[in-house]
Amino acid sequence: MIRNLTEQDKEHLQEALVKSGQKVTPQREAVFTVLLAERDHPTVDEVFNRAREVMPGLSLATVYNCLETFVGCGLVRQVNHERESTRYCPNLAPHAHFRDKETGQVHDIELPPEVMKSLRSILPPGFDSEVIEISFLGRAQAKDTHSN
Amino acid sequence: MIRNLTEQDKEHLQEALVKSGQKVTPQREAVFTVLLAERDHPTVDEVFNRAREVMPGLSLATVYNCLETFVGCGLVRQVNHERESTRYCPNLAPHAHFRDKETGQVHDIELPPEVMKSLRSILPPGFDSEVIEISFLGRAQAKDTHSN
DNA sequence: TAATCAGTTAGAATGAGTCTAATCCGCAAG
DNA sequence: CTTGCGGATTAGACTCATTCTAACTGATTA
Ligand SMILES: [Mn+2]
Ligand SMILES: [Mn+2]
Ligand SMILES: [Zn+2]
Ligand SMILES: [Zn+2]
């Protein structure tokens, strides 16, 4: 695990950072690598602990900073469930989140455009929404090993 | 404002509490009254401040306790947006929440059963969800005085 | 009356997240 | 090369919503 970024991932990272006037740094690469390695919606602490394995001097503050930067330039999404610690998701496709009440795992749920449309359609006139968050809470049959 | 509970509201409160083995108390009545008076999704502090006007000795801890009790027996829903303070909503009909980015106000959005169904339909087999939370973020034309 | 027990209360504790101020470091000008 | 600059990193202090604790209240019961 924590295999390296592909060239494509590196370009993605660099482009998004540079486009918003920021730099690629070893810390940012390490944090981004962690996010792409296991798409299990880790918390800041989980990202921190995983990233430290490959960059021991990394600080928690920097992990917060990197993740904030990534959110700011659209590289990752924040995922909140009730009052739990914020989690991070590098899946840029429109999707909802399903949290397993038993395991706490968070799964991505694909969100077809037709459903998005039906959601937008329930807004009364005068309401304009940029962001729609959808989260399910329930139980998922543990039939996959790869957490996503 | 803070008009009294109707008989129907009192019964609703009493039934839900008794059904889950708890008692009607003056504090719980006061907090519930506040929630029904202005359906603007107040935070704990807002509930606290409004309820104190009519019951000056009320403590913040008790407001937390009452609200937790109400959530536990299904009288109100918690509403979270990102990491902001939790808000409370006594609207038991299925609905989504729309938060106005400008004003911070939270509005209820009716959720037709057909939309609920289309949402459930996007869950892959093996995923069973009891709770679906939908929240919009955007701007609402300020065309109504009654906050809802 | 005395015991019981849920509810209330003030204040301490928790902990995710934010802020601050010092340091680091890559790069460009001199 | 040195030096200066500015963004990035860092440790640790701080915030503040929420939770916890332990004492108290007050109604009900034995
Ligand atoms: Mn999965
Ligand atoms: Mn309204
Ligand atoms: Zn996701
Ligand atoms: Zn509501």
Side-chain angles (χ1 to χ4, degrees):
Chain A
M1 30 243 84
I2 309 199
R3 59 190 167 294
N4 286 343
L5 295 175
T6 65
E7 276 313 311
Q8 204 184 349
D9 292 334
K10 279 190 186 167
E11 278 171 33
H12 182 206
L13 175 63
Q14 164 149 20
E15 184 186 316
L17 284 172
V18 169
K19 191 177 293 180
S20 69
Q22 286 165 308
K23 297 174 184 172
V24 178
T25 67
Q27 288 86 349
R28 285 173 180 166
E29 274 195 15
V31 169
F32 194 59
T33 303
V34 164
L35 288 177
L36 291 192
E38 298 220 34
R39 307 184 51 154
D40 60 349
H41 303 83
T43 62
V44 173
D45 272 289
E46 286 165 345
V47 173
F48 179 47
N49 288 315
R50 293 175 198 175
R52 255 197 309 192
E53 284 172 21
V54 86
M55 181 179 278
L58 183 68
S59 79
L60 179 59
T62 297
V63 175
Y64 273 103
N65 290 340
C66 290
L67 291 170
E68 185 186 31
T69 298
F70 294 164
V71 171
C73 63
L75 279 170
V76 311
R77 283 173 56 182
Q78 283 186 321
V79 179
N80 291 292
H81 279 107
E82 284 150 28
R83 302 238 102 228
E84 294 182 0
S85 303
T86 299
R87 295 175 176 277
Y88 291 84
C89 173
N91 178 354
L92 296 181
H95 66 282
H97 290 107
F98 184 104
R99 197 188 49 196
D100 189 308
K101 212 174 43 172
E102 309 277 287
T103 66
Q105 278 189 14
V106 176
H107 300 275
D108 283 348
I109 304 291
E110 215 191 312
L111 208 46
E114 75 207 65
V115 173
M116 295 287 290
K117 206 183 291 182
S118 97
L119 274 172
R120 280 185 200 289
S121 79
I122 70 177
L123 288 178
F127 286 76
D128 264 310
S129 154
E130 307 149 24
V131 184
I132 309 181
E133 302 259 319
I134 301 163
S135 67
F136 298 87
L137 174 64
R139 249 192 252 189
Q141 231 122 73
K143 70 164 177 191
D144 56 352
T145 58
H146 75 287
S147 15
N148 63 342
Chain B
M1 37 243 81
I2 309 196
R3 59 190 168 296
N4 285 344
L5 294 175
T6 65
E7 277 311 310
Q8 205 183 347
D9 292 333
K10 279 189 185 166
E11 277 170 35
H12 181 206
L13 175 63
Q14 164 149 19
E15 184 187 315
L17 285 172
V18 169
K19 193 178 291 179
S20 69
Q22 286 165 308
K23 296 173 184 171
V24 179
T25 68
Q27 289 86 348
R28 285 172 181 167
E29 273 195 16
V31 169
F32 194 59
T33 303
V34 165
L35 288 176
L36 291 192
E38 298 221 34
R39 307 183 53 151
D40 61 348
H41 303 84
T43 62
V44 173
D45 273 288
E46 287 164 345
V47 173
F48 179 46
N49 288 315
R50 294 176 197 174
R52 256 197 308 192
E53 284 173 21
V54 87
M55 181 180 277
L58 182 69
S59 78
L60 180 59
T62 297
V63 175
Y64 272 101
N65 290 341
C66 290
L67 291 170
E68 184 186 31
T69 299
F70 294 164
V71 171
C73 64
L75 278 171
V76 312
R77 282 173 56 182
Q78 282 186 321
V79 178
N80 291 292
H81 280 106
E82 284 150 29
R83 303 237 101 229
E84 294 182 1
S85 303
T86 299
R87 295 174 177 277
Y88 291 84
C89 172
N91 178 354
L92 296 181
H95 66 282
H97 289 107
F98 183 104
R99 197 188 47 196
D100 189 308
K101 213 172 44 171
E102 308 277 288
T103 66
Q105 277 190 16
V106 176
H107 299 275
D108 282 349
I109 304 291
E110 215 190 311
L111 209 47
E114 74 207 66
V115 173
M116 296 288 291
K117 206 183 291 182
S118 97
L119 275 172
R120 280 186 199 289
S121 79
I122 70 178
L123 289 178
F127 286 75
D128 264 310
S129 155
E130 307 148 24
V131 184
I132 309 181
E133 302 259 319
I134 301 164
S135 68
F136 297 87
L137 174 64
R139 248 193 251 190
Q141 231 121 71
K143 70 166 178 190
D144 56 353
T145 58
H146 74 286
S147 15
N148 63 341

